[in-house]
Amino acid sequence: MHFLSPLLEEYIKNNSENEPSILQKLTRETHLKVIQPRMITGHFQGRVLSMLSKIVYPKNILEIGTYTGYSALCLAEGLSKNGALHTIEINDELEEMQRRYFNESGYGEQITQHIGNALEVIPNLEVVFDLVFIDAKKTDYPEYFEAVLKKTKPGSVILTDNVLWSGKVVEPLDPKDKATKILLDFNMQLKKDPRVETVLLPIRDGLTLSRVL
């Protein structure tokens, strides 16, 4: 679902920071070689992630859901000098492609890849994260959030993607649609959660920004 007209989307993109050439290259290869290429972070959202990361200037970043590595590279642009980014992906077939682009970007030594179930990986990370980006299995969002909250500190920022779910969150709910039901509950609980303050941004498919209190 397009929340803005294609004309406005193009205008916004054209009046935002340019997309780095390496990300253009990654987008092309993703569309040529990978199933469901629409899952890749786009130009505009990528620049938003980059800008938020630069504002936070994190020492440690955690990403849940790497896909082909586009969002990881955007987030890495804001890393502090000796910062590190941990990214988790369940599909091991994407590992080589991710690493190739990470190394080409110049951030390779700062990015650690984890392959597996994020809910099993996160408890074993002995790191406090300044910035977290959640963009994986939607039905696990509540569990991801609880797991990462234990790895943050006051002032840490947690970003959650796809929270508008193609507009399904404001449409009549199909009783069989488990993902939409969980996202509806998740969005409501985030607003009520006294551990964070939250704002839902209508960027692409919805991006929630939560600040840990």
Side-chain angles (χ1 to χ4, degrees):
M1 173 180 285
H2 286 275
F3 301 107
L4 297 172
S5 71
L7 209 57
L8 272 175
E9 288 184 347
E10 188 68 15
Y11 179 83
I12 291 167
K13 183 180 74 174
N14 291 339
N15 287 275
S16 298
E17 287 294 310
N18 292 332
E19 183 181 38
S21 59
I22 188 172
L23 295 179
Q24 295 176 19
K25 179 181 174 183
L26 174 54
T27 298
R28 285 194 296 271
E29 184 170 348
T30 299
H31 278 80
L32 285 171
K33 298 181 179 179
V34 184
I35 296 172
Q36 293 183 307
R38 67 184 294 272
M39 289 171 56
I40 195 169
T41 302
H43 171 185
F44 174 62
Q45 185 176 7
R47 292 305 86 205
V48 171
L49 294 178
S50 170
M51 184 68 78
L52 289 172
S53 184
K54 288 170 182 173
I55 291 169
V56 174
Y57 193 52
K59 180 179 179 183
N60 293 299
I61 300 174
L62 173 62
E63 177 184 55
I64 304 175
T66 318
Y67 192 49
T68 55
Y70 191 111
S71 53
L73 290 176
C74 295
L75 294 166
E77 293 176 27
L79 276 171
S80 58
K81 186 176 180 181
N82 298 311
L85 188 155
H86 292 260
T87 185
I88 306 169
E89 172 58 46
I90 199 164
N91 184 355
D92 61 0
E93 293 180 359
L94 298 173
E95 185 176 14
E96 183 278 329
M97 184 175 177
Q98 296 164 7
R99 176 48 57 187
R100 191 157 35 86
Y101 278 92
F102 293 162
N103 290 343
E104 185 179 337
S105 73
Y107 297 111
E109 292 186 2
Q110 291 176 278
I111 300 176
T112 300
Q113 294 163 277
H114 301 272
I115 301 297
N117 184 327
L119 295 174
E120 297 173 0
V121 173
I122 294 168
N124 296 314
L125 298 176
E126 299 299 322
V127 183
V128 175
F129 294 101
D130 309 291
L131 180 61
V132 177
F133 181 48
I134 301 173
D135 184 18
K137 188 177 179 182
K138 310 312 165 193
T139 52
D140 286 341
Y141 268 25
E143 287 77 17
Y144 293 149
F145 192 83
E146 290 301 322
V148 302
L149 200 58
K150 297 172 184 175
K151 302 291 182 177
T152 61
K153 62 183 180 182
S156 294
V157 171
I158 303 173
L159 303 170
T160 315
D161 201 17
N162 301 113
V163 291
L164 294 180
W165 207 223
S166 298
K168 292 180 182 179
V169 291
V170 293
E171 295 174 354
L173 180 64
D174 181 344
K176 298 178 182 178
D177 189 347
K178 184 179 178 182
T180 300
K181 178 64 168 66
I182 287 175
L183 282 173
L184 283 166
D185 292 342
F186 176 74
N187 291 340
M188 185 182 301
Q189 289 305 315
L190 271 190
K191 182 183 177 183
K192 296 178 180 179
D193 197 323
R195 300 169 297 176
V196 294
E197 55 181 345
T198 292
V199 61
L200 198 164
L201 306 172
I203 294 171
R204 203 181 182 195
D205 195 27
L207 180 70
T208 293
L209 190 158
S210 300
R211 177 177 171 271
V212 180
L213 299 175

